[in-house]
Amino acid sequence: MCPLGWLAAASLCLGTLCAVPAEERRKAEKPKADPTLHENLDLDNYDLTLDNYGEILDLSNYEELYDYGDLVPKIEVGTLAPRPKDPKTLPELGEATAGTPELRPPSGAGPVPPAPIPGQGLPSCQLCLCLGTSVYCDDAGLEQIPALPPDTAYLYARFNRIGAVRAADFTGLEKLKRIDLSSNSISWAEADAFRLLPSLQELLLPQNLLTALPELPRSIVRLDARLNRIGSAGLRPEALRDLKQLQFLHLSDNQLDFIPVPLPESLRSLHLQNNNIQTMHEDTFCDSQDQGQIRRALEDVRLDGNPINLSLFPNAFFCLPRLPTGRFS
């Protein structure tokens, strides 16, 4: 009987232990945290509010990772509307908006598109891609310059069929800095097409059909009219004299038979290769009366591909920091 009694007692003890809830056992087994370990930990600094957000989270390392420039204020994606044939036939904004009845969708019809917002004028992007102040019209089948948003600063209309440039194409575009009309069919430009643009710095006209150099604004820094048909008769006398900011003049692969002078002191690069230049004046680059003159800015002069022997005109470029590229024999 003793072994049976011992088994009964052991079973009773085990039943008592199992009856204790598991949660209480875990609490009993978990060691208590020592409060002294966290006495020096200041958790008040991590209470985020609008006042202390910048102090707790240092974002200074991320301020200049992305600079979107003029893409931040607005991004328009679409195409440019064709220019109206006669702007005088357009109704005034006040006439167009005054007395216009409120548009209501007919029963069973879908929603009516919103009416134009007063002050926006004509739709601005319907044939080209407009991103911020840049307008991209490359390879769009254009035959003329499209209507441009008034804030346009950069125009790219390459690889089209534009045949002429008129002054009205850029009227009112006072912020326009760069015009790229490369690889079109432009054969002429009106006298005031570019001259009246006060901010224009870069005019790119390579691979066109121009026979005359267009008049340029005094703000121009870079002119590229390579691969055209510009002859010496297409240059006005002293056409470059007043262009005090011109640095890059590229007229290679044309039909020039002399170097356009006088050249502005600001000029850094002059490309006239592959023309028909046969001679030059001794004052073309340097002042023949000032033997101490050094023209440091003009370091890149290309005359290769012309029927001129540069060794016959040593006094014409004694002031240059580098000899022109060309034939010396």
Side-chain angles (χ1 to χ4, degrees):
M1 297 296 293
C2 290
L4 293 175
W6 181 83
L7 289 173
S11 300
L12 181 61
C13 292
L14 290 175
T16 304
L17 290 174
C18 293
V20 179
E23 183 177 354
E24 293 183 4
R25 290 203 308 272
R26 284 195 299 270
K27 289 182 179 179
E29 295 171 359
K30 184 178 180 180
K32 296 183 178 180
D34 186 359
T36 61
L37 295 177
H38 307 286
E39 289 179 354
N40 297 326
L41 182 60
D42 183 9
L43 297 179
D44 291 338
N45 291 336
Y46 292 89
D47 185 13
L48 290 177
T49 65
L50 292 177
D51 297 329
N52 65 7
Y53 186 83
E55 300 175 0
I56 295 176
L57 300 180
D58 183 10
L59 300 179
S60 60
N61 293 330
Y62 303 93
E63 290 179 353
E64 298 181 358
L65 285 180
Y66 299 100
D67 181 10
Y68 291 100
D70 58 1
L71 298 185
V72 175
K74 62 177 182 178
I75 296 181
E76 293 184 33
V77 178
T79 55
L80 282 174
R83 181 180 296 279
K85 295 182 179 179
D86 187 2
K88 296 180 180 180
T89 62
L90 293 174
E92 297 294 334
L93 181 60
E95 298 176 1
T97 55
T100 303
E102 182 181 0
L103 295 176
R104 297 181 180 274
S107 58
V112 175
I117 301 175
Q120 281 189 340
L122 293 174
S124 60
C125 281
Q126 299 201 351
L127 290 176
C128 306
L129 175 64
C130 296
L131 296 176
T133 58
S134 299
V135 179
Y136 299 90
C137 304
D138 291 344
D139 198 15
L142 300 178
E143 296 183 358
Q144 61 181 2
I145 304 294
L148 299 172
D151 291 334
T152 301
Y154 305 94
L155 170 64
Y156 303 89
R158 300 165 291 194
F159 313 110
N160 286 288
R161 299 192 297 271
I162 300 171
V165 182
R166 299 169 177 81
D169 293 334
F170 302 113
T171 300
L173 299 179
E174 297 183 354
K175 299 180 181 180
L176 195 56
K177 296 180 180 179
R178 180 187 300 159
I179 299 175
D180 191 345
L181 298 173
S182 305
S183 301
N184 277 276
S185 303
I186 301 172
S187 58
W188 66 277
E190 287 186 357
D192 293 338
F194 306 109
R195 186 174 61 87
L196 300 180
L197 297 175
S199 302
L200 187 63
Q201 297 179 3
E202 297 182 76
L203 179 58
L204 310 180
L205 299 168
Q207 292 185 311
N208 278 282
L209 304 175
L210 287 168
T211 58
L213 189 68
E215 295 189 45
L216 303 171
R218 296 188 178 186
S219 59
I220 197 72
V221 175
R222 177 186 177 194
L223 172 66
D224 186 349
R226 296 173 290 121
L227 295 162
N228 277 274
R229 301 175 180 177
I230 301 173
S232 297
L235 298 180
R236 293 180 299 104
E238 300 186 348
L240 307 176
R241 176 186 292 276
D242 296 329
L243 304 181
K244 305 299 184 182
Q245 300 184 52
L246 181 63
Q247 298 183 30
F248 304 93
L249 178 60
H250 294 172
L251 296 173
S252 59
D253 296 279
N254 277 283
Q255 300 173 10
L256 300 174
D257 54 24
F258 66 82
I259 299 174
V261 291
L263 298 169
E265 292 292 330
S266 58
L267 200 61
R268 298 172 54 189
S269 177
L270 176 64
H271 287 188
L272 295 172
Q273 64 268 34
N274 302 322
N275 278 278
N276 192 35
I277 299 173
Q278 303 180 33
T279 186
M280 71 171 67
H281 193 269
E282 62 178 4
D283 290 328
T284 297
F285 300 111
C286 309
D287 184 357
S288 59
Q289 303 301 319
D290 184 4
Q291 297 297 323
Q293 178 189 10
I294 300 178
R295 188 167 183 166
R296 301 186 183 276
L298 188 53
E299 295 186 345
D300 178 23
V301 178
R302 292 196 55 179
L303 292 169
D304 47 307
N306 285 278
I308 182 174
N309 185 352
L310 296 178
S311 62
L312 301 177
F313 309 95
N315 292 332
F317 42 82
F318 70 85
C319 65
L320 300 181
R322 291 184 176 85
L323 289 176
T325 302
R327 185 169 65 91
F328 283 89
S329 60

